[in-house]
Amino acid sequence: MFFPGLPINDYRNYLLRSGPFYFLVTSELNSIEENIVKLYDTTKHPRPSQALPFIDFNISVTGSKSKLIFRNNQNAEFSLDSKKVFNPFPISHVTAMLEWGMNWCISTQINTYLIIHAAVVEKYGFAVILPAPPGSGKSTLCATLIQEGWRLLSDELTLLDLNTAKAVPMPRPIGLKNQSIDIIKARYPKAVFGLSSAETIKGNVCHLKPPTESIRLQSVQCPVRWIVFPKFEHKASTQLRNKPKGEAFLQIANNAFNYNIIGKIAFNTLKTVVDQSECFTFQYSNLDEAIEVFDRLRINL
Amino acid sequence: MSVKWPLLVAILRHEKSFSDLSNADWSLLISQAKRSLLLGKLYYLLEAQNSLIDLPDGPYTHFETARVRAEKQRRDLGWELTKLKQAFSETNCPVILLKGAAYAAANLSISYGRTFSDIDLLVPASELSKIESRLIIHGWLHQSKDQYDDMYYRKWMHELPPFKHAKRGSIIDLHHNILPITALNCPKAGSLLESIVELENDHSIFTLSRLDQIIHSATHLFYDGELEHGLRDLVDLQGLINELDENAKLHLADRALQLGLHKPVFYAVRYLELILNTPNLESLRKKLEQNGARIRSLNIMDFLFSKAFMPDHPSCDSRWTGLARWILYVRAHCLRMPWHLLLPHLTKKLLKRLSKTNSS
């Protein structure tokens, strides 16, 4: 772990910003460096003389010390404030684990925003929240939309400001899994990807770099106008259906990380957001048609 | 003795003020406070100094988060107490809270921002099995690891294996004393039970008397080998003792003597003065010293405790920290259990662990 004023060892340090949060990542692993260089524009290697911002999360990703005979059995570990927070994992998964670990830091350590497991994107000043359980094609849809001119606020964690009920941007690389990686690579050849982590518990994972414009606007909060629950179904026809607001409210509350912890203010914030939003379920299999549906949303403004 | 205290300790000693902190200091302070379970405490310290308004956004997020979490725990405790009262209502046994839950239920100022992981209860040993069955009927189930673990708790310890509620996940530690019955200075639980006091705001809930709470907190801290959160417990003790007037402090010495627990109270006073720079403890310390609480190898203990009580954080570790914590861990085991019981127990545990490793 690195702290300003403490001696620096061989480990390398990276200052990463994610919306309101700053991470100081410490690692000696080349794959971490390579991935960060690919995915983050704002990478800096802080030096003792450099004035640092306030660091929210001091994390490190290290190869575990035990010498194993078989190199491919080598493990890595993720620590917050030098305390290990996950079980050791195969070193080939480090790039995925770094991103998941950063999300874990925010979703477990922060209660000043209502944090929902959902993607959130914006166009023409209004945000659409995409809450979904894993496997519903949320990230694929989100990755597609941001290639089509939508601004990425977040792919994984929707932060709602408890005072303004606006969505707070936290643009980070988007984690794509299995076939989604090839689909997005084929559709958008210019898209930038990080290193892939093969055979994780979620399958093959590779992260997509967010658009520069989304990063540039990462301090600009955004009012929410739509809540769309996406569901990818193989060969299904494209359907956008109204969803009762009460149902949408409960489903989001159940998908929030800290709804119960925050209590009453979380209820009020979510109520404001649901009241001011149109709520839909969205079934799709064709991304071109999905793009069209989302572009039609703004016509209702 | 001139010591460079870690930032968190310097703040608690009022040697450094919040207004002097740079971004890097705030990062370090919050990180140390998180590891010491003192972040919520610092929130209320900032509030008391009217400094919350001046906080930069970044640090504010973490302090506010700690407050929200502590408030959530307070709400949850209220609900668990309702459920506990139901479970106890079919018995003649009072609900007696210990430690963190007791501070929170009594709304003591030290409970603000303080979190705890379980609810500690004290019951008379004679009522233990009755209360155990009531807890099980009301959904709290045993969490013992195996039969030996269970037997060990029941035979030697001052508490049953922890209970966990099947639905809500709340954890209860059911005590019949405040030290293992094998401990060198195990007090008579009856004496503690005679002095319990009811809460002002809820006459069906009891805590130990204020003096006994302090003695329990000190005993727990100086007989317990796991000192990673020792600084938090020391801060608790400071808050509890600070509320006593001079007269009550002398009564504290008498009561500790009566229970045979004057040494842990002496240690508490010693490290409150040394580490937290707590004022106005002189007369209490002298009275304890006069009554035989003087420690012979105090220099060594000072060295060990002043290392072990520092935040469990890499910025606070010296080359001696690990060793100091280990020595105190072993010391605590010896205080809690005589060698002829401890050795077979540790051997048994070691064998169990080895056989588990081999079979997996």
Side-chain angles (χ1 to χ4, degrees), chain A residues 128-180:
Chain A
V128 46
I129 298 178
L130 305 164
S136 48
K138 161 181 69 76
S139 293
T140 318
L141 184 59
C142 178
T144 306
L145 291 172
I146 63 163
Q147 301 299 328
E148 299 288 339
W150 290 74
R151 167 161 77 113
L152 174 70
L153 276 78
S154 175
D155 169 52
E156 196 64 27
L157 303 174
T158 295
L159 266 48
L160 293 175
D161 187 299
L162 297 174
N163 298 311
T164 63
K166 287 182 178 174
V168 177
M170 203 184 63
R172 293 262 308 285
I174 298 176
L176 292 171
K177 291 175 285 248
N178 305 323
Q179 310 95 307
S180 297

Side-chain angles (χ1 to χ4, degrees), chain A residues 1 55-56 81-82 108 111 261, chain B residues 27 31 35 62 65 69 314:
Chain A
M1 193 171 65
I55 305 296
D56 290 276
D81 288 337
S82 84
T108 61
N111 290 324
I261 300 174
Chain B
S27 310
S31 188
R35 293 298 297 273
H62 294 269
T65 290
R69 188 164 293 155

Side-chain angles (χ1 to χ4, degrees), chain A residues 41-159:
Chain A
D41 284 324
T42 53
T43 306
K44 291 198 182 84
H45 300 232
R47 301 183 206 316
S49 59
Q50 184 190 341
L52 283 174
F54 170 75
I55 305 296
D56 290 276
F57 303 106
N58 233 299
I59 58 183
S60 59
V61 184
T62 49
S64 57
K65 282 172 197 139
S66 62
K67 290 237 187 329
L68 291 167
I69 306 157
F70 303 106
R71 212 182 131 64
N72 55 1
N73 274 349
Q74 211 185 340
N75 283 337
E77 281 171 324
F78 181 96
S79 311
L80 170 63
D81 288 337
S82 84
K83 187 175 185 180
K84 294 180 187 79
V85 289
F86 306 126
N87 289 330
F89 47 87
I91 203 154
S92 57
H93 298 172
V94 280
T95 53
M97 290 303 296
L98 172 63
E99 293 295 333
W100 291 342
M102 288 168 76
N103 284 332
W104 177 89
C105 287
I106 294 163
S107 63
T108 61
Q109 309 281 307
I110 296 294
N111 290 324
T112 49
Y113 305 97
L114 177 61
I115 306 178
I116 306 162
H117 185 211
V120 54
V121 293
E122 174 259 337
K123 209 169 191 181
Y124 300 104
F126 292 93
V128 46
I129 298 178
L130 305 164
S136 48
K138 161 181 69 76
S139 293
T140 318
L141 184 59
C142 178
T144 306
L145 291 172
I146 63 163
Q147 301 299 328
E148 299 288 339
W150 290 74
R151 167 161 77 113
L152 174 70
L153 276 78
S154 175
D155 169 52
E156 196 64 27
L157 303 174
T158 295
L159 266 48

